Amino acid sequence: MLNLDRLRTLDAVARHGSVSAAADGLHVTTSAVSQQLAKLEREAGQQLLAKNGRGIRLTDAGRLLADHAARILSQVELARSDLEAHRGQAVGELFLGAFPTSARGLFPAALAQLRADHPQLRVRLQEMEPDVSLPRLVRGDIDLAVVLDWYNKPLSLPDGLAKAPLLDDPADVAMPADHSLADRTEVDLEEFADDEWISWPEGEFCHDWLMFTLRGKGVEPRISHMAEEHHTQLALIASGLGVAIAPRLGRGPVPDGVRVVPVRHTMRRHIYAVWRQDADRRPSIRAVVDALSRAAQGVES
């Protein structure tokens, strides 16, 4: 008999490409992964892994069994969804990933509501950007992700995922209080052609969006500083070090020395909940999406 947990371990190694990454995805130690794989090799009666330099690779038998494992685990997920749907209760454990401002702006209310309405459901949240959460969602490391795209730059979702819109989040321009445009009721991005910009780090979706948007307005941005957290960006602006795009979700109080001004042609982020289609019928997934939707309505009101 092939053990399901050991097949899950082999599947994780095949998807992640290493024992250590598989251990991180499964939330276990590398020793536990190695032990499971050794037992699976004894059960299969064939070598499944071989050394490859400092790492490992799947043998032909390992790839064959990993392909079967992926299909088996997908069927197990469908069976779990059907059973949970038949029971009609949100129970068990869910792992969620969310980008930081959604974690701050939506999840406190949503998680409190879930705890009150579904006491048998354990939800674990971790902050992560969409370029991290979506691959982990596809691999099955997490059960649901909250992601974003921008009004003029859609986010491409991998196949096999379902999504639900939560809210549209307007974004303003944040600038030092003594900026020449700080007293305006509206601004155009073109008016900041000569300013220094504070951006998200290179490689992040929002940094790429900022460069794309400003260049589309004929502005070649001068990026002076990069900071992942919006609160850090606002602190830099308060010291007169540049301007930045400031989404409203999770923004909190604006520090002294900073003014935020709406853009004439409104810029918006679209916020989504995303999950695997094979888990679509699970009441626990639906409960989380409903709680997030209610939290989003509270933000918009």
Side-chain angles (χ1 to χ4, degrees), residues 167-190:
L167 79 157
D168 286 349
D169 178 35
D172 307 311
V173 178
M175 65 195 78
D178 60 359
H179 194 282
S180 61
L181 302 176
D183 293 331
R184 293 268 294 275
T185 57
E186 290 181 325
V187 292
D188 292 311
L189 290 180
E190 297 91 326

Side-chain angles (χ1 to χ4, degrees), residues 105-106 109 167 291-301:
L106 295 177
L167 79 157
L292 287 168
S293 297
R294 290 197 298 270
Q297 290 169 7
V299 170
E300 292 181 314
S301 64

Side-chain angles (χ1 to χ4, degrees), residues 117-137:
D117 293 347
H118 306 285
Q120 296 184 65
L121 178 63
R122 185 185 179 198
V123 179
R124 300 177 63 179
L125 170 67
Q126 182 177 347
E127 284 189 359
M128 57 185 77
E129 294 292 342
D131 62 340
V132 176
S133 64
L134 287 176
R136 294 190 66 179
L137 180 63

Side-chain angles (χ1 to χ4, degrees), residues 2-271:
L2 295 173
N3 180 279
L4 186 62
D5 287 337
R6 290 164 199 153
L7 289 177
R8 183 173 287 108
T9 301
L10 178 65
D11 176 68
V13 171
R15 288 185 286 104
H16 290 279
S18 72
V19 169
S20 59
D24 289 340
L26 294 170
H27 308 285
V28 298
T29 64
T30 56
S31 175
V33 170
S34 297
Q35 291 174 20
Q36 289 283 67
L37 292 173
K39 292 177 181 178
L40 183 60
E41 285 189 325
R42 289 197 293 272
E43 290 175 348
Q46 298 186 58
Q47 184 179 1
L48 303 177
L49 300 173
K51 290 185 178 180
N52 184 28
R54 295 183 178 181
I56 54 94
R57 63 173 177 83
L58 295 179
T59 63
D60 290 344
R63 284 194 296 271
L64 177 65
L65 187 55
D67 289 342
H68 282 290
R71 291 192 291 271
I72 291 168
L73 293 171
S74 179
Q75 286 300 120
V76 169
E77 180 66 31
L78 287 171
R80 182 170 65 168
S81 296
D82 286 345
L83 284 172
E84 195 175 311
H86 185 267
R87 183 167 49 184
Q89 296 178 345
V91 297
E93 185 173 51
L94 289 181
F95 292 90
L96 313 181
F99 64 95
T101 50
S102 68
R104 184 164 59 246
L106 295 177
F107 275 87
L111 294 178
Q113 189 67 53
L114 285 168
R115 177 173 290 185
D117 293 347
H118 306 285
Q120 296 184 65
L121 178 63
R122 185 185 179 198
V123 179
R124 300 177 63 179
L125 170 67
Q126 182 177 347
E127 284 189 359
M128 57 185 77
E129 294 292 342
D131 62 340
V132 176
S133 64
L134 287 176
R136 294 190 66 179
L137 180 63
V138 171
R139 292 195 302 260
D141 299 339
I142 61 175
D143 298 291
L144 181 143
V146 174
V147 301
L148 67 98
D149 63 18
W150 288 88
Y151 69 102
N152 60 342
K153 194 173 179 62
L155 178 68
S156 178
L157 291 180
D159 292 338
L161 298 183
K163 71 176 184 179
L166 297 176
L167 79 157
D168 286 349
D169 178 35
D172 307 311
V173 178
M175 65 195 78
D178 60 359
H179 194 282
S180 61
L181 302 176
D183 293 331
R184 293 268 294 275
T185 57
E186 290 181 325
V187 292
D188 292 311
L189 290 180
E190 297 91 326
E191 297 179 273
F192 298 91
D194 296 327
D195 282 274
E196 295 180 277
W197 282 86
I198 298 167
S199 172
W200 297 270
E202 285 186 14
E204 287 195 4
F205 180 76
C206 287
H207 173 85
D208 295 342
W209 166 82
L210 179 63
M211 304 296 286
F212 169 81
T213 301
L214 290 176
R215 286 169 177 164
K217 299 287 186 180
V219 177
E220 183 56 38
R222 292 188 295 140
I223 306 298
S224 294
H225 306 286
M226 297 183 185
E228 191 159 355
E229 284 288 339
H230 289 162
H231 288 175
T232 304
Q233 295 181 7
L234 293 175
L236 293 169
I237 294 168
S239 294
L241 298 174
V243 302
I245 300 299
R248 297 179 190 176
L249 177 65
R251 185 161 70 194
V254 175
D256 292 338
V258 176
R259 296 290 183 272
V260 290
V261 181
V263 178
R264 193 181 317 278
H265 301 289
T266 305
M267 302 182 299
R268 294 182 181 274
R269 302 188 301 177
H270 308 305
I271 315 299

